[in-house]
Amino acid sequence: MQKQKFVLKYHFVGYDYGVAGPFWFAAGCSPMIVFFALLGISCKRKIQAHTSLEVVRIRYGRIAHAVFMILCLINNIFACANMLLGAAAVISAMTGMHIVAATFLLPVGVTVYTFVGCIKATFITDYIHTAIILIIACYFSIKAFTFEAVGSIGNLYDLVQAGGRRHPVSGNHDGVYLTMTSKGGILFGVLHICSNFGLVIMDTSYYIKVFSAAPSSVVPGYTIGGIAYFAIPWALGTIMSSVALGLENQPIFPTYPQRMTSTEVSNGLVLPYAALTIAGKGGAVAVLLITFMAVTSILSAQVIAVNSILSFDVYREYFKRSASDQDIIRASHMGVIFFAAFSAGFSTMLHYVGIDLGWTLYMLGKSLIGILTNNYVPSNGLGVVTCPGIFPMTFTILWHQQSKAAAIFSPILGMATGIGVWLGTAQHFYGSVTVTTTGQILPCVYGTVVSCFSPILYSVIITLFHPQNYNWDDFRKERLVLGGPQSDLNTAQTQCSDVIDGRDGAVLRPSASIATFLGHWVIWPLPMYGSHYNFGKGFFIAWVVVGIIWLWGTMLVAIIFPLVDGGIQQIKQILKHNERSRAEKPVQIASPSSPSIEEPEKMKGDKQ
């Protein structure tokens, strides 16, 4: 996978919309993760590059390269800002640290190990961080029901029902939290899935990991990761947001006797407060730990993405075409430091102008798929300003007829149209254009959907005037990878062809992503939405039990599968290599009473 959604957000929507919120959050992530298995392996089959932007430049030239570079950088910058805003708010609330200090301190550790280890460091840390986060998530899934005030899933149902009577939810059927018939929930789901398709497709860190991975691992990794990931926001979000809703009127809850304020909810404090309630200081420490684990992993992936753009797409392409490995590494190190400092400064600026996690979540639709997806699939997020690149980028890889003009102008026109609709609907529905009104869900849904889908129309219409008919074999003429013979690149592309054709046993079919989308978006939720069904106690118990089983299964998959798939084999190879090196190394014995092997020859020469 590649990254997990930032762990604070699905509790946010669960608190606002009830059980529908975590479900739609999860359904907005899994389909595109599975879809990227098709897109990623198709790209890897055609070319062995460093970033997706190199593919754009080779096919369409430098103008298109610049357009998509801006889109990708916007994506990465706001991804980091979104993550740092939420994490710094939580750390500040739980420890008393100033939010600006937290914002600047979080990237420090990431900068160090990314500076030293680059992409290898992200693979290792993502695995370790994912394991820690999932262990803690599984702990909370059990601890919630061993806490005396909750006691059981059935009692939690009663607590949430009582919470719905105290504070009915506008837009939910009968105002209850325990229903999938939630207008706000489904609007969030539409916003989230559009934004997350942009997150995956326009984030260069996903392509970097695809180009780095073995071809036979890409398809099963992304597919298993997309399906396994679903349980994290669904199960944990349902449980912990239900705990917060059910216990917020009791003295044990941190904000008692008041409810959580809108600012506290928007800053992602639902999970920390629920954890503090059921697990005390240990729960607070656990939330701080998973927050740090998620943030550092996500930020590392974003730093690698921007670093690769600056090194390969800017430095090597526009400043030094003959750059050596050492030149690229030097530029890479400078890029790591620059982006870490810039992202912290940019996040601080957003904080002081009044932008919080809720605004970025809706406006950007950011889905910090930082931890989990890095291990199996490839994290990261779009919205109004970045969704326009989704289909032009997809067409660049899959549609040989998209023209150069279509690639250049369709995302620009799509962005202009999306921003116009976003601001226009904010003015129409709320009477003004402010941070508050532009952060509301309706303007963001309209703007994001238009930004996402209008480029399809623009691209097709512009292409009809002069189709390109691009020859995919032209990609193979480009030598982008530094070092290594061309035969190695041809071998990698042949292996990708084996994956596509199923000759290595990993058959890649679009039906996997279609089935995931239909299951998570049509077959499962829509009948429940249309039937206006309110959960009974038995159904809620089954809903939570299935989620817990799925969550624990995800933990086992995330921890064990990477070891079985390749980790153990690599460890054996390293041990064999070390044994072989020791066996081949000549043994020399030297002591005062026993001359070395070389000494007789030396003595013989002296005598001569």
Side-chain angles (χ1 to χ4, degrees), residues 91-115:
I91 293 174
S92 177
M94 302 295 284
T95 66
M97 179 185 293
H98 195 283
I99 192 169
V100 174
T103 302
F104 275 89
L105 287 175
L106 280 170
V108 171
V110 177
T111 303
V112 172
Y113 73 71
T114 306
F115 185 94

mmCIF file of all heavy atoms in Angstrom, residues 91-115:
data_model
loop_
_atom_site.group_PDB
_atom_site.id
_atom_site.type_symbol
_atom_site.label_atom_id
_atom_site.label_comp_id
_atom_site.label_asym_id
_atom_site.label_seq_id
_atom_site.Cartn_x
_atom_site.Cartn_y
_atom_site.Cartn_z
ATOM 1 N N ILE A 91 -1.109 18.010 18.899
ATOM 2 C CA ILE A 91 0.032 18.043 19.820
ATOM 3 C C ILE A 91 -0.075 19.233 20.760
ATOM 4 O O ILE A 91 0.200 19.131 21.966
ATOM 5 C CB ILE A 91 1.346 18.079 19.016
ATOM 6 C CG1 ILE A 91 1.539 16.756 18.273
ATOM 7 C CG2 ILE A 91 2.535 18.364 19.928
ATOM 8 C CD1 ILE A 91 2.720 16.742 17.336
ATOM 9 N N SER A 92 -0.497 20.370 20.241
ATOM 10 C CA SER A 92 -0.667 21.556 21.074
ATOM 11 C C SER A 92 -1.736 21.334 22.138
ATOM 12 O O SER A 92 -1.550 21.692 23.311
ATOM 13 C CB SER A 92 -1.026 22.760 20.202
ATOM 14 O OG SER A 92 -1.266 23.907 20.982
ATOM 15 N N ALA A 93 -2.860 20.725 21.741
ATOM 16 C CA ALA A 93 -3.953 20.489 22.684
ATOM 17 C C ALA A 93 -3.583 19.468 23.752
ATOM 18 O O ALA A 93 -3.998 19.589 24.908
ATOM 19 C CB ALA A 93 -5.200 20.033 21.930
ATOM 20 N N MET A 94 -2.792 18.473 23.378
ATOM 21 C CA MET A 94 -2.481 17.383 24.314
ATOM 22 C C MET A 94 -1.287 17.683 25.213
ATOM 23 O O MET A 94 -1.164 17.132 26.297
ATOM 24 C CB MET A 94 -2.215 16.095 23.532
ATOM 25 C CG MET A 94 -3.364 15.653 22.643
ATOM 26 S SD MET A 94 -4.848 15.202 23.548
ATOM 27 C CE MET A 94 -4.383 13.599 24.173
ATOM 28 N N THR A 95 -0.374 18.565 24.760
ATOM 29 C CA THR A 95 0.851 18.806 25.528
ATOM 30 C C THR A 95 1.022 20.241 25.993
ATOM 31 O O THR A 95 1.844 20.504 26.879
ATOM 32 C CB THR A 95 2.086 18.429 24.684
ATOM 33 O OG1 THR A 95 2.177 19.325 23.563
ATOM 34 C CG2 THR A 95 1.989 17.002 24.184
ATOM 35 N N GLY A 96 0.299 21.173 25.395
ATOM 36 C CA GLY A 96 0.483 22.574 25.730
ATOM 37 C C GLY A 96 1.563 23.254 24.914
ATOM 38 O O GLY A 96 1.791 24.465 25.064
ATOM 39 N N MET A 97 2.237 22.520 24.042
ATOM 40 C CA MET A 97 3.258 23.119 23.178
ATOM 41 C C MET A 97 2.609 24.135 22.244
ATOM 42 O O MET A 97 1.499 23.932 21.759
ATOM 43 C CB MET A 97 3.961 22.027 22.361
ATOM 44 C CG MET A 97 5.023 22.562 21.408
ATOM 45 S SD MET A 97 5.737 21.259 20.355
ATOM 46 C CE MET A 97 6.593 20.283 21.587
ATOM 47 N N HIS A 98 3.304 25.217 21.969
ATOM 48 C CA HIS A 98 2.781 26.210 21.034
ATOM 49 C C HIS A 98 2.627 25.574 19.659
ATOM 50 O O HIS A 98 3.495 24.816 19.205
ATOM 51 C CB HIS A 98 3.717 27.414 20.953
ATOM 52 C CG HIS A 98 3.090 28.613 20.298
ATOM 53 N ND1 HIS A 98 2.936 28.720 18.931
ATOM 54 C CD2 HIS A 98 2.549 29.748 20.820
ATOM 55 C CE1 HIS A 98 2.345 29.872 18.630
ATOM 56 N NE2 HIS A 98 2.099 30.512 19.773
ATOM 57 N N ILE A 99 1.542 25.889 18.984
ATOM 58 C CA ILE A 99 1.227 25.224 17.726
ATOM 59 C C ILE A 99 2.283 25.497 16.659
ATOM 60 O O ILE A 99 2.587 24.633 15.828
ATOM 61 C CB ILE A 99 -0.182 25.642 17.244
ATOM 62 C CG1 ILE A 99 -0.637 24.731 16.098
ATOM 63 C CG2 ILE A 99 -0.217 27.109 16.833
ATOM 64 C CD1 ILE A 99 -2.101 24.904 15.743
ATOM 65 N N VAL A 100 2.875 26.683 16.678
ATOM 66 C CA VAL A 100 3.915 26.998 15.687
ATOM 67 C C VAL A 100 5.181 26.183 15.972
ATOM 68 O O VAL A 100 5.835 25.691 15.042
ATOM 69 C CB VAL A 100 4.227 28.506 15.698
ATOM 70 C CG1 VAL A 100 5.403 28.815 14.770
ATOM 71 C CG2 VAL A 100 3.000 29.311 15.275
ATOM 72 N N ALA A 101 5.502 26.025 17.240
ATOM 73 C CA ALA A 101 6.661 25.195 17.588
ATOM 74 C C ALA A 101 6.460 23.761 17.125
ATOM 75 O O ALA A 101 7.378 23.137 16.574
ATOM 76 C CB ALA A 101 6.888 25.240 19.101
ATOM 77 N N ALA A 102 5.259 23.227 17.332
ATOM 78 C CA ALA A 102 4.968 21.866 16.869
ATOM 79 C C ALA A 102 5.066 21.773 15.355
ATOM 80 O O ALA A 102 5.575 20.790 14.810
ATOM 81 C CB ALA A 102 3.566 21.453 17.337
ATOM 82 N N THR A 103 4.594 22.803 14.668
ATOM 83 C CA THR A 103 4.626 22.797 13.199
ATOM 84 C C THR A 103 6.041 22.743 12.668
ATOM 85 O O THR A 103 6.321 22.067 11.673
ATOM 86 C CB THR A 103 3.914 24.055 12.661
ATOM 87 O OG1 THR A 103 2.569 24.087 13.147
ATOM 88 C CG2 THR A 103 3.901 24.064 11.146
ATOM 89 N N PHE A 104 6.962 23.423 13.322
ATOM 90 C CA PHE A 104 8.348 23.438 12.844
ATOM 91 C C PHE A 104 9.160 22.246 13.345
ATOM 92 O O PHE A 104 10.103 21.811 12.688
ATOM 93 C CB PHE A 104 9.035 24.742 13.254
ATOM 94 C CG PHE A 104 8.801 25.874 12.289
ATOM 95 C CD1 PHE A 104 7.701 26.709 12.442
ATOM 96 C CD2 PHE A 104 9.647 26.078 11.221
ATOM 97 C CE1 PHE A 104 7.464 27.742 11.548
ATOM 98 C CE2 PHE A 104 9.424 27.113 10.314
ATOM 99 C CZ PHE A 104 8.324 27.948 10.475
ATOM 100 N N LEU A 105 8.802 21.703 14.514
ATOM 101 C CA LEU A 105 9.570 20.581 15.046
ATOM 102 C C LEU A 105 9.225 19.264 14.357
ATOM 103 O O LEU A 105 10.080 18.380 14.254
ATOM 104 C CB LEU A 105 9.336 20.455 16.552
ATOM 105 C CG LEU A 105 10.012 21.516 17.427
ATOM 106 C CD1 LEU A 105 9.603 21.359 18.873
ATOM 107 C CD2 LEU A 105 11.534 21.450 17.291
ATOM 108 N N LEU A 106 7.985 19.119 13.892
ATOM 109 C CA LEU A 106 7.580 17.853 13.279
ATOM 110 C C LEU A 106 8.448 17.471 12.078
ATOM 111 O O LEU A 106 8.802 16.303 11.919
ATOM 112 C CB LEU A 106 6.103 17.922 12.872
ATOM 113 C CG LEU A 106 5.096 17.697 13.999
ATOM 114 C CD1 LEU A 106 3.683 18.033 13.535
ATOM 115 C CD2 LEU A 106 5.157 16.261 14.489
ATOM 116 N N PRO A 107 8.799 18.400 11.195
ATOM 117 C CA PRO A 107 9.595 17.989 10.027
ATOM 118 C C PRO A 107 11.064 17.698 10.316
ATOM 119 O O PRO A 107 11.760 17.204 9.428
ATOM 120 C CB PRO A 107 9.480 19.206 9.077
ATOM 121 C CG PRO A 107 8.333 20.005 9.585
ATOM 122 C CD PRO A 107 8.323 19.782 11.058
ATOM 123 N N VAL A 108 11.540 18.008 11.541
ATOM 124 C CA VAL A 108 12.981 17.888 11.800
ATOM 125 C C VAL A 108 13.466 16.452 11.632
ATOM 126 O O VAL A 108 14.409 16.169 10.886
ATOM 127 C CB VAL A 108 13.318 18.403 13.212
ATOM 128 C CG1 VAL A 108 14.775 18.078 13.553
ATOM 129 C CG2 VAL A 108 13.087 19.901 13.287
ATOM 130 N N GLY A 109 12.825 15.514 12.333
ATOM 131 C CA GLY A 109 13.253 14.121 12.242
ATOM 132 C C GLY A 109 13.110 13.563 10.846
ATOM 133 O O GLY A 109 13.974 12.802 10.363
ATOM 134 N N VAL A 110 12.029 13.969 10.160
ATOM 135 C CA VAL A 110 11.811 13.512 8.786
ATOM 136 C C VAL A 110 12.943 13.983 7.890
ATOM 137 O O VAL A 110 13.458 13.230 7.057
ATOM 138 C CB VAL A 110 10.463 14.038 8.256
ATOM 139 C CG1 VAL A 110 10.260 13.640 6.812
ATOM 140 C CG2 VAL A 110 9.332 13.520 9.115
ATOM 141 N N THR A 111 13.328 15.235 8.073
ATOM 142 C CA THR A 111 14.401 15.790 7.242
ATOM 143 C C THR A 111 15.700 15.012 7.418
ATOM 144 O O THR A 111 16.404 14.730 6.445
ATOM 145 C CB THR A 111 14.632 17.267 7.607
ATOM 146 O OG1 THR A 111 13.411 17.987 7.439
ATOM 147 C CG2 THR A 111 15.704 17.880 6.735
ATOM 148 N N VAL A 112 15.990 14.616 8.650
ATOM 149 C CA VAL A 112 17.251 13.914 8.922
ATOM 150 C C VAL A 112 17.289 12.560 8.229
ATOM 151 O O VAL A 112 18.220 12.261 7.468
ATOM 152 C CB VAL A 112 17.455 13.749 10.445
ATOM 153 C CG1 VAL A 112 18.661 12.860 10.720
ATOM 154 C CG2 VAL A 112 17.626 15.101 11.106
ATOM 155 N N TYR A 113 16.260 11.705 8.479
ATOM 156 C CA TYR A 113 16.368 10.355 7.911
ATOM 157 C C TYR A 113 16.071 10.333 6.408
ATOM 158 O O TYR A 113 16.564 9.468 5.693
ATOM 159 C CB TYR A 113 15.513 9.348 8.678
ATOM 160 C CG TYR A 113 14.013 9.403 8.522
ATOM 161 C CD1 TYR A 113 13.385 9.015 7.340
ATOM 162 C CD2 TYR A 113 13.204 9.783 9.596
ATOM 163 C CE1 TYR A 113 12.012 9.034 7.223
ATOM 164 C CE2 TYR A 113 11.826 9.793 9.481
ATOM 165 C CZ TYR A 113 11.240 9.421 8.292
ATOM 166 O OH TYR A 113 9.861 9.431 8.168
ATOM 167 N N THR A 114 15.296 11.296 5.913
ATOM 168 C CA THR A 114 15.092 11.368 4.462
ATOM 169 C C THR A 114 16.352 11.880 3.773
ATOM 170 O O THR A 114 16.704 11.439 2.680
ATOM 171 C CB THR A 114 13.903 12.286 4.129
ATOM 172 O OG1 THR A 114 12.750 11.839 4.848
ATOM 173 C CG2 THR A 114 13.601 12.253 2.640
ATOM 174 N N PHE A 115 17.033 12.811 4.422
ATOM 175 C CA PHE A 115 18.290 13.342 3.897
ATOM 176 C C PHE A 115 19.307 12.225 3.734
ATOM 177 O O PHE A 115 20.027 12.147 2.740
ATOM 178 C CB PHE A 115 18.814 14.415 4.853
ATOM 179 C CG PHE A 115 20.045 15.128 4.378
ATOM 180 C CD1 PHE A 115 19.951 16.325 3.693
ATOM 181 C CD2 PHE A 115 21.311 14.603 4.615
ATOM 182 C CE1 PHE A 115 21.087 16.982 3.247
ATOM 183 C CE2 PHE A 115 22.455 15.253 4.179
ATOM 184 C CZ PHE A 115 22.340 16.451 3.494
#
